[in-house]
Amino acid sequence: MIGAGQAGLATAYHLRRTGFQPGRDVVVLDHSPGPGGAWQFRWPSLTFGKVHGMHALPGMELTGADPARPSAEVVREYFDRYERTFDLRVRRPVDVRAVREGAGGRLLVETSDGTWSTRAVVNATGTWDRPFWPRRPGQETFRGRQLHTAQYTGPEEFAGQRVVVVGGGASGTQHLLELAPYAAATTWVTRRPPVFREGPFDQEAGRAAVALVADRVRQGLPPRSVVSVTGLPLNDAVRQGLADGVLDRRPMFDRITPDGVEWRDGLRVPADVILWATGFRAALGHLAPLRLREPGGGIRVEGTRAVADPRIHLIGYGPSASTVGANRAGRAAVRDIRRLLAEEPVAA
Ligand SMILES: Cc1cc2nc3c(=O)[nH]c(=O)nc-3n(C[C@H](O)[C@H](O)[C@H](O)COP(=O)(O)OP(=O)(O)OC[C@H]3O[C@@H](n4cnc5c(N)ncnc54)[C@H](O)[C@@H]3O)c2cc1C
């Protein structure tokens, strides 16, 4: 197992329940310093009350969490308790560098802490380690600061600065709402007009969104972000931001100049900071030696299994890239892996 975030822990739990012994039959490797998956790195102002709805891990509810506490702390403590309760024995920090074909139908997992030989790999490495920065003309000439959501630690450090926030996802809107009281000016640019979603996100809408992403992944296309298919939730803070003009969106600028951004029609916005809230991509570089990628750029996945190699399962990828999706996918992968191991004799 590679990765001990929501997806990895959910899968490790189901493996354990069906008789796989952690440390003996299953090894969980994670390169982060402590429990919490990517949540441990999220900015302190992303309080637990602000997250969209974190689904509990299987077998242990997350109850009584103070919504005013940083989600990083809440989730770190919860995952830590979870790992200890179910004795999941995560080995960290262990960085998986490559997964290769081994002898006798086995896979070799090369890491910062030696090489493992295994019959199946569950990959649950998330996206946090691969922030996506689009390239724009003139980007290298900008004299101000450019950073990505992955480096954002809160609004205070932008006091008095003019900030351009790029990106139409949940992170972009949250950054803008937080920055507005501190920054001298904020500008929001997105590639496509943002779509706001009225009302609660019911189960039917959830299923439809997941089906859309699943379809892309079945075709071997790179999965899209969940927000791109669900729309942005129109909560009170967002409504206020729209009314105040903080969420007044402009189309993507055409170039970056040394002191700001510029559109083809001559409009210029001076800026001290460009904050790229442009999302993340699946962190799968270590699987490259297996050549699973399709010409479309994605890995074709049926259920959770890589179509090109049934020994590889991707959890938290595409349709299962949410806390609820990861739980379900973990259970499904374990069923599949049991079948695979039952079919094949153990290689020496
Ligand atoms: C800002 C933000 C807010 C979000 N809010 C929500 C929300 O409210 N609700 C929701 O359902 N989803 C939310 N999501 C999506 C959310 O991240 C996922 O639902 C879920 O937490 C991802 O879990 P994961 O286990 O797939 O990945 P991660 O939590 O990223 O875990 C992956 C783990 O793999 C490890 N790893 C990666 N590469 C390697 C390697 N090569 N070797 C060893 N270990 C490796 C990492 O250290 C990490 O611990 C949010 C995402 C972002 C960016």
Side-chain angles (χ1 to χ4, degrees), residues 1-9 29-43 46 50-55 79 92 94-98 123-129 149 170-171 174-175 226 279-280 283-284 286 315-317 320-326:
M1 294 240 6
I2 313 173
Q6 180 98 12
L9 293 186
L29 308 172
D30 193 292
H31 69 189
S32 292
W39 291 97
Q40 68 193 282
F41 304 112
R42 295 206 173 127
W43 54 98
L46 183 64
K50 282 191 197 168
V51 304
H52 296 315
M54 193 193 148
H55 207 273
F79 280 18
R92 57 167 70 90
V94 178
D95 181 42
V96 174
R97 293 173 177 162
N123 191 87
T125 46
T127 59
W128 187 256
D129 294 275
T149 293
S171 307
Q174 282 182 13
H175 293 332
V226 178
F280 296 82
L284 299 173
H286 52 284
I315 317 289
Y317 178 77
S320 64
S322 73
T323 50
V324 61

Coordinates of all heavy atoms in Angstrom, one line a residue, residues 1-9 29-43 46 50-55 79 92 94-98 123-129 149 170-171 174-175 226 279-280 283-284 286 315-317 320-326, ligand 1:
M1 N 0.8 -1.2 0.0 CA 0.0 0.0 0.0 C 0.9 1.2 0.0 O 1.8 1.3 0.8 CB -0.8 0.0 1.3 CG -1.8 -1.1 1.4 SD -3.4 -0.4 1.5 CE -3.2 1.3 1.3
I2 N 0.6 2.2 -0.9 CA 1.4 3.4 -0.9 C 0.4 4.5 -0.6 O -0.5 4.8 -1.3 CB 2.0 3.6 -2.3 CG1 2.7 2.3 -2.8 CG2 3.0 4.8 -2.2 CD1 3.2 2.4 -4.2
G3 N 0.7 5.2 0.5 CA -0.1 6.4 0.9 C -1.0 6.0 2.1 O -1.7 5.0 2.1
A4 N -1.0 6.9 3.1 CA -1.8 6.6 4.3 C -2.7 7.8 4.6 O -2.8 8.3 5.7 CB -0.9 6.3 5.5
G5 N -3.3 8.4 3.5 CA -4.4 9.4 3.7 C -5.7 8.6 3.8 O -5.7 7.4 4.2
Q6 N -6.8 9.4 3.6 CA -8.1 8.8 3.7 C -8.2 7.5 2.9 O -8.7 6.4 3.4 CB -9.2 9.8 3.2 CG -10.6 9.2 3.3 CD -11.3 9.7 4.5 OE1 -10.8 10.6 5.2 NE2 -12.4 9.2 4.8
A7 N -7.7 7.5 1.7 CA -7.9 6.4 0.8 C -7.0 5.2 1.3 O -7.5 4.0 1.3 CB -7.4 6.8 -0.6
G8 N -5.8 5.4 1.7 CA -4.9 4.4 2.1 C -5.4 3.7 3.4 O -5.4 2.5 3.5
L9 N -5.8 4.6 4.3 CA -6.3 4.0 5.6 C -7.6 3.2 5.5 O -7.7 2.2 6.1 CB -6.4 5.1 6.7 CG -5.2 5.9 7.1 CD1 -5.5 6.9 8.2 CD2 -4.1 4.9 7.5
L29 N 3.1 2.2 3.3 CA 4.2 3.1 3.3 C 3.7 4.6 3.0 O 2.8 4.8 2.2 CB 5.1 2.7 2.1 CG 5.6 1.3 2.1 CD1 6.3 1.0 0.8 CD2 6.5 1.0 3.3
D30 N 4.3 5.5 3.7 CA 3.9 6.9 3.5 C 5.1 7.8 3.7 O 5.8 7.7 4.7 CB 2.8 7.3 4.5 CG 2.1 8.6 4.1 OD1 2.7 9.6 4.2 OD2 0.9 8.5 3.7
H31 N 5.2 8.8 2.8 CA 6.4 9.6 2.9 C 6.2 10.9 3.8 O 7.2 11.7 3.9 CB 7.0 9.9 1.6 CG 6.2 10.8 0.7 ND1 6.6 11.0 -0.7 CD2 5.1 11.5 0.9 CE1 5.7 11.8 -1.2 NE2 4.8 12.2 -0.3
S32 N 5.0 11.1 4.3 CA 4.9 12.3 5.1 C 5.4 12.1 6.5 O 5.5 10.9 7.0 CB 3.4 12.7 5.2 OG 2.9 13.1 3.9
P33 N 5.7 13.2 7.3 CA 6.3 12.9 8.6 C 5.3 12.3 9.6 O 5.7 11.6 10.5 CB 6.7 14.4 9.0 CG 5.9 15.3 8.1 CD 5.7 14.6 6.9
G34 N 4.0 12.6 9.5 CA 3.1 12.1 10.5 C 1.7 11.7 9.9 O 1.5 11.8 8.7
P35 N 0.8 11.2 10.8 CA -0.5 10.9 10.3 C -1.3 12.1 9.8 O -1.0 13.3 10.1 CB -1.2 10.3 11.5 CG -0.2 10.1 12.5 CD 1.0 11.0 12.2
G36 N -2.3 11.9 8.9 CA -3.2 13.0 8.4 C -3.2 13.1 6.9 O -4.0 13.8 6.4
G37 N -2.4 12.3 6.2 CA -2.4 12.4 4.8 C -2.2 13.9 4.4 O -1.5 14.6 5.1
A38 N -2.8 14.3 3.3 CA -2.6 15.7 2.9 C -3.1 16.7 3.8 O -2.7 17.9 3.9 CB -3.2 15.9 1.5
W39 N -4.1 16.3 4.7 CA -4.7 17.3 5.6 C -3.7 17.9 6.5 O -3.8 19.0 6.9 CB -5.8 16.6 6.4 CG -7.0 16.2 5.6 CD1 -7.3 15.0 5.1 CD2 -8.1 17.0 5.2 NE1 -8.5 15.0 4.4 CE2 -9.0 16.2 4.5 CE3 -8.4 18.4 5.5 CZ2 -10.2 16.7 3.9 CZ3 -9.6 18.9 4.9 CH2 -10.5 18.1 4.2
Q40 N -2.6 17.1 6.9 CA -1.7 17.7 7.8 C -1.0 18.9 7.2 O -0.4 19.7 8.0 CB -0.6 16.6 8.2 CG 0.3 16.2 7.1 CD 1.1 15.0 7.5 OE1 2.0 15.0 8.2 NE2 0.7 13.8 6.9
F41 N -1.0 19.1 5.9 CA -0.4 20.3 5.3 C -1.3 21.5 5.0 O -0.9 22.5 4.5 CB 0.3 19.9 4.0 CG 1.3 18.7 4.2 CD1 1.0 17.5 3.7 CD2 2.4 18.9 5.0 CE1 1.9 16.4 3.9 CE2 3.3 17.8 5.2 CZ 3.0 16.6 4.6
R42 N -2.6 21.3 5.3 CA -3.5 22.4 4.9 C -3.4 23.6 5.8 O -3.1 23.4 7.0 CB -4.9 21.8 4.8 CG -4.9 20.8 3.7 CD -6.2 20.5 3.0 NE -5.8 19.7 1.8 CZ -6.4 18.5 1.6 NH1 -7.4 18.1 2.3 NH2 -6.0 17.8 0.5
W43 N -3.6 24.7 5.2 CA -3.3 26.0 5.9 C -4.2 26.1 7.2 O -5.3 25.7 7.2 CB -3.6 27.2 5.0 CG -4.9 27.2 4.3 CD1 -6.0 27.9 4.6 CD2 -5.3 26.5 3.1 NE1 -7.0 27.7 3.8 CE2 -6.6 26.9 2.8 CE3 -4.7 25.6 2.2 CZ2 -7.3 26.4 1.7 CZ3 -5.4 25.1 1.1 CH2 -6.7 25.5 0.9
L46 N -7.9 27.1 7.4 CA -8.9 26.1 6.8 C -9.4 25.3 8.0 O -8.9 24.2 8.3 CB -8.3 25.2 5.8 CG -9.3 24.3 5.1 CD1 -10.4 25.0 4.3 CD2 -8.6 23.3 4.1
K50 N -14.9 24.8 7.9 CA -15.0 25.3 6.6 C -14.8 24.2 5.5 O -15.0 24.4 4.3 CB -13.8 26.3 6.3 CG -14.0 27.6 6.9 CD -12.9 28.6 6.4 CE -12.9 29.8 7.2 NZ -11.6 30.6 6.9
V51 N -14.5 23.0 5.9 CA -14.3 21.9 4.9 C -15.7 21.5 4.4 O -16.7 21.6 5.2 CB -13.4 20.7 5.3 CG1 -12.1 21.2 5.8 CG2 -14.1 19.9 6.4
H52 N -15.8 20.9 3.2 CA -17.1 20.7 2.6 C -17.9 19.5 3.3 O -19.0 19.3 3.0 CB -16.9 20.3 1.2 CG -16.4 21.4 0.4 ND1 -16.8 22.6 0.5 CD2 -15.4 21.4 -0.5 CE1 -16.1 23.4 -0.3 NE2 -15.2 22.7 -0.9
G53 N -17.2 18.8 4.0 CA -17.9 17.6 4.5 C -16.9 16.5 4.4 O -16.7 15.9 3.3
M54 N -16.3 16.2 5.5 CA -15.3 15.1 5.5 C -16.0 13.9 6.0 O -16.5 13.9 7.1 CB -14.1 15.5 6.4 CG -13.0 14.6 6.2 SD -11.8 14.7 7.4 CE -11.2 13.0 7.4
H55 N -16.0 12.9 5.2 CA -16.6 11.6 5.5 C -15.7 10.9 6.5 O -14.5 10.9 6.3 CB -16.8 10.8 4.3 CG -18.0 9.8 4.4 ND1 -17.8 8.6 4.9 CD2 -19.3 10.0 4.1 CE1 -19.0 8.0 4.9 NE2 -19.9 8.8 4.4
F79 N -6.7 10.6 12.4 CA -6.0 9.5 11.7 C -5.0 8.8 12.6 O -4.9 7.6 12.6 CB -5.2 10.1 10.5 CG -6.1 10.4 9.3 CD1 -7.5 10.5 9.4 CD2 -5.5 10.6 8.0 CE1 -8.3 10.8 8.3 CE2 -6.3 10.8 6.9 CZ -7.7 10.9 7.0
R92 N 6.6 5.2 8.1 CA 6.9 6.6 7.6 C 8.1 7.2 8.4 O 8.4 6.8 9.5 CB 5.7 7.5 7.8 CG 5.1 7.6 9.2 CD 4.2 8.7 9.4 NE 2.9 8.6 8.7 CZ 1.8 8.0 9.3 NH1 1.9 7.5 10.6 NH2 0.7 7.9 8.7
V94 N 8.6 7.0 4.5 CA 9.2 6.1 3.5 C 8.6 6.6 2.1 O 7.4 6.6 1.9 CB 8.8 4.6 3.7 CG1 9.4 3.8 2.6 CG2 9.2 4.1 5.0
D95 N 9.6 7.0 1.3 CA 9.2 7.6 0.0 C 9.3 6.5 -1.0 O 10.3 5.9 -1.2 CB 10.2 8.7 -0.3 CG 9.8 9.4 -1.7 OD1 8.6 9.6 -1.9 OD2 10.7 9.7 -2.5
V96 N 8.2 6.2 -1.7 CA 8.2 5.3 -2.8 C 8.7 6.0 -4.1 O 8.1 6.9 -4.5 CB 6.8 4.6 -3.0 CG1 6.8 3.7 -4.2 CG2 6.4 3.8 -1.8
R97 N 9.7 5.5 -4.6 CA 10.4 6.1 -5.8 C 10.0 5.5 -7.1 O 9.8 6.2 -8.1 CB 11.9 6.2 -5.6 CG 12.2 7.1 -4.4 CD 13.6 7.1 -4.0 NE 13.7 8.0 -2.9 CZ 14.7 8.1 -2.1 NH1 15.7 7.2 -2.2 NH2 14.8 9.0 -1.2
A98 N 9.8 4.2 -7.1 CA 9.4 3.5 -8.4 C 8.8 2.2 -8.1 O 9.2 1.5 -7.1 CB 10.7 3.3 -9.2
N123 N -2.4 1.8 -4.7 CA -1.8 3.2 -4.8 C -2.8 4.2 -4.3 O -3.9 4.3 -4.9 CB -1.4 3.5 -6.2 CG -0.5 4.7 -6.2 OD1 0.7 4.7 -6.1 ND2 -1.1 5.9 -6.4
A124 N -2.4 4.9 -3.2 CA -3.4 5.8 -2.7 C -2.6 7.1 -2.3 O -2.6 7.6 -1.2 CB -4.0 5.2 -1.4
T125 N -1.9 7.6 -3.3 CA -1.0 8.7 -3.1 C -1.5 10.1 -3.3 O -0.8 11.1 -3.2 CB 0.3 8.6 -4.0 OG1 -0.2 8.3 -5.3 CG2 1.2 7.4 -3.5
G126 N -2.8 10.2 -3.6 CA -3.5 11.5 -3.6 C -2.9 12.5 -4.6 O -2.4 12.1 -5.7
T127 N -3.1 13.8 -4.4 CA -2.7 14.8 -5.3 C -1.8 15.9 -4.7 O -1.2 16.7 -5.5 CB -3.9 15.5 -5.9 OG1 -4.7 16.0 -4.9 CG2 -4.8 14.5 -6.7
W128 N -1.8 16.0 -3.4 CA -1.2 17.1 -2.8 C 0.3 17.4 -3.2 O 0.8 18.5 -3.2 CB -1.3 17.0 -1.2 CG -0.8 18.2 -0.5 CD1 0.4 18.3 0.2 CD2 -1.6 19.4 -0.3 NE1 0.4 19.6 0.7 CE2 -0.8 20.3 0.5 CE3 -2.8 19.8 -0.7 CZ2 -1.2 21.5 0.8 CZ3 -3.2 21.1 -0.4 CH2 -2.4 21.9 0.4
D129 N 1.0 16.3 -3.5 CA 2.4 16.4 -3.9 C 2.6 16.8 -5.3 O 3.7 16.9 -5.7 CB 3.1 15.0 -3.7 CG 3.1 14.6 -2.2 OD1 4.0 15.0 -1.5 OD2 2.2 13.9 -1.8
T149 N -1.6 27.3 -4.0 CA -2.4 26.9 -2.8 C -1.6 26.0 -1.9 O -1.7 26.1 -0.7 CB -3.7 26.1 -3.3 OG1 -4.5 27.0 -4.0 CG2 -4.4 25.5 -2.1
A170 N -12.9 25.5 -5.2 CA -13.2 25.8 -3.8 C -12.0 26.6 -3.2 O -12.3 27.5 -2.4 CB -13.6 24.6 -3.1
S171 N -10.8 26.2 -3.5 CA -9.7 26.8 -2.8 C -9.6 28.3 -3.2 O -9.4 29.2 -2.4 CB -8.3 26.1 -3.2 OG -8.4 24.8 -2.9
Q174 N -12.2 30.3 -1.5 CA -11.9 30.4 0.0 C -10.7 31.4 0.2 O -10.7 32.2 1.1 CB -11.5 29.1 0.6 CG -12.7 28.3 0.8 CD -12.4 26.9 1.5 OE1 -11.3 26.7 1.9 NE2 -13.4 26.0 1.5
H175 N -9.7 31.3 -0.7 CA -8.6 32.3 -0.5 C -9.1 33.7 -0.7 O -8.7 34.6 0.1 CB -7.5 32.1 -1.6 CG -6.8 30.8 -1.6 ND1 -6.6 30.1 -0.4 CD2 -6.2 30.0 -2.5 CE1 -5.9 29.0 -0.6 NE2 -5.7 28.9 -1.9
V226 N -13.3 17.5 -8.7 CA -14.7 17.3 -8.3 C -15.5 18.5 -8.6 O -16.6 18.5 -9.1 CB -14.8 16.8 -6.9 CG1 -16.2 16.6 -6.4 CG2 -14.0 15.5 -6.7
G279 N -5.3 24.0 -8.6 CA -5.5 22.5 -8.4 C -4.3 21.7 -8.4 O -3.1 22.2 -8.3
F280 N -4.5 20.4 -8.4 CA -3.5 19.4 -8.2 C -3.7 18.3 -9.3 O -4.8 18.2 -9.8 CB -3.6 18.8 -6.8 CG -3.4 19.8 -5.7 CD1 -4.4 20.7 -5.3 CD2 -2.1 19.9 -5.1 CE1 -4.1 21.6 -4.3 CE2 -1.9 20.8 -4.1 CZ -2.9 21.7 -3.7
A283 N -0.6 12.2 -8.1 CA 0.9 12.0 -7.9 C 1.2 10.5 -8.2 O 1.2 9.6 -7.3 CB 1.2 12.3 -6.4
L284 N 1.5 10.3 -9.5 CA 1.7 8.9 -9.9 C 3.1 8.6 -10.6 O 3.2 7.6 -11.2 CB 0.6 8.5 -10.9 CG -0.8 8.6 -10.4 CD1 -1.9 8.3 -11.5 CD2 -1.1 7.5 -9.3
H286 N 5.8 7.6 -9.6 CA 6.5 6.4 -9.2 C 6.0 5.1 -10.0 O 6.7 4.1 -10.0 CB 6.4 6.2 -7.7 CG 5.0 6.2 -7.2 ND1 4.4 7.4 -7.0 CD2 4.2 5.3 -6.9 CE1 3.1 7.2 -6.6 NE2 3.0 5.9 -6.5
I315 N -6.7 4.0 -5.6 CA -7.8 4.5 -4.7 C -7.6 6.0 -4.5 O -6.4 6.4 -4.3 CB -7.7 3.8 -3.3 CG1 -7.4 2.3 -3.5 CG2 -9.0 4.0 -2.5 CD1 -8.6 1.5 -4.1
G316 N -8.7 6.7 -4.4 CA -8.5 8.2 -4.3 C -8.2 8.8 -5.6 O -7.7 10.0 -5.7
Y317 N -8.4 8.1 -6.7 CA -8.1 8.6 -8.0 C -9.4 8.7 -8.8 O -10.2 7.8 -8.8 CB -7.1 7.5 -8.7 CG -6.8 7.9 -10.2 CD1 -5.8 8.9 -10.4 CD2 -7.4 7.2 -11.2 CE1 -5.5 9.1 -11.7 CE2 -7.0 7.5 -12.5 CZ -6.1 8.5 -12.8 OH -5.7 8.8 -14.1
S320 N -13.0 8.2 -7.1 CA -12.9 8.0 -5.7 C -12.1 9.1 -5.0 O -11.6 8.9 -3.8 CB -12.4 6.6 -5.4 OG -11.1 6.4 -5.8
A321 N -11.8 10.2 -5.6 CA -11.0 11.3 -5.0 C -11.9 12.2 -4.1 O -11.9 13.4 -4.3 CB -10.3 12.1 -6.1
S322 N -12.6 11.6 -3.2 CA -13.2 12.4 -2.2 C -13.2 11.5 -0.9 O -13.0 10.2 -1.1 CB -14.7 12.7 -2.6 OG -15.5 11.5 -2.5
T323 N -13.5 12.0 0.2 CA -13.4 11.2 1.4 C -14.4 10.0 1.4 O -14.1 8.9 1.8 CB -13.5 12.0 2.7 OG1 -14.7 12.8 2.6 CG2 -12.3 12.9 2.9
V324 N -15.6 10.3 0.8 CA -16.6 9.2 0.8 C -16.3 8.2 -0.3 O -16.3 7.0 -0.1 CB -18.0 9.8 0.6 CG1 -18.2 10.6 -0.6 CG2 -19.1 8.7 0.7
G325 N -15.8 8.7 -1.4 CA -15.4 7.8 -2.5 C -14.3 6.9 -2.2 O -14.2 5.8 -2.6
A326 N -13.3 7.5 -1.4 CA -12.1 6.7 -1.1 C -12.5 5.5 -0.2 O -12.0 4.4 -0.3 CB -11.1 7.6 -0.3
Ligands
LIG1 C1 -7.8 22.2 0.1 C2 -8.5 21.0 -0.1 C3 -9.7 20.7 0.6 C4 -10.4 19.5 0.5 N1 -11.6 19.4 1.2 C5 -12.3 18.2 1.0 C6 -13.5 18.0 1.8 O1 -13.9 18.9 2.5 N2 -14.1 16.8 1.6 C7 -13.6 15.8 0.8 O2 -14.3 14.8 0.7 N3 -12.5 16.0 0.1 C8 -11.8 17.2 0.2 N4 -10.7 17.4 -0.5 C9 -10.2 16.3 -1.4 C10 -9.4 15.5 -0.4 O3 -8.1 15.8 -0.4 C11 -9.6 14.0 -0.5 O4 -11.0 13.7 -0.4 C12 -8.9 13.1 0.5 O5 -8.5 13.7 1.6 C13 -7.7 12.6 -0.3 O6 -7.3 11.5 0.4 P1 -6.2 10.6 -0.3 O7 -5.9 9.5 0.7 O8 -6.6 10.2 -1.6 O9 -4.9 11.5 -0.5 P2 -3.9 12.2 0.6 O10 -4.6 12.7 1.8 O11 -3.2 13.2 -0.2 O12 -2.9 11.1 1.0 C14 -1.9 10.6 0.2 C15 -0.8 10.1 1.0 O13 0.1 9.5 0.2 C16 1.4 9.8 0.6 N5 2.3 9.8 -0.6 C17 2.2 10.4 -1.8 N6 3.2 10.1 -2.7 C18 3.9 9.1 -2.0 C19 5.1 8.4 -2.4 N7 5.6 8.5 -3.6 N8 5.6 7.6 -1.5 C20 5.0 7.4 -0.2 N9 3.9 8.1 0.2 C21 3.4 9.0 -0.7 C22 1.3 11.3 1.1 O14 2.3 11.5 2.1 C23 -0.1 11.2 1.8 O15 0.0 10.9 3.1 C24 -9.9 18.5 -0.4 C25 -8.8 18.8 -1.1 C26 -8.1 20.0 -1.0 C27 -6.8 20.2 -1.8

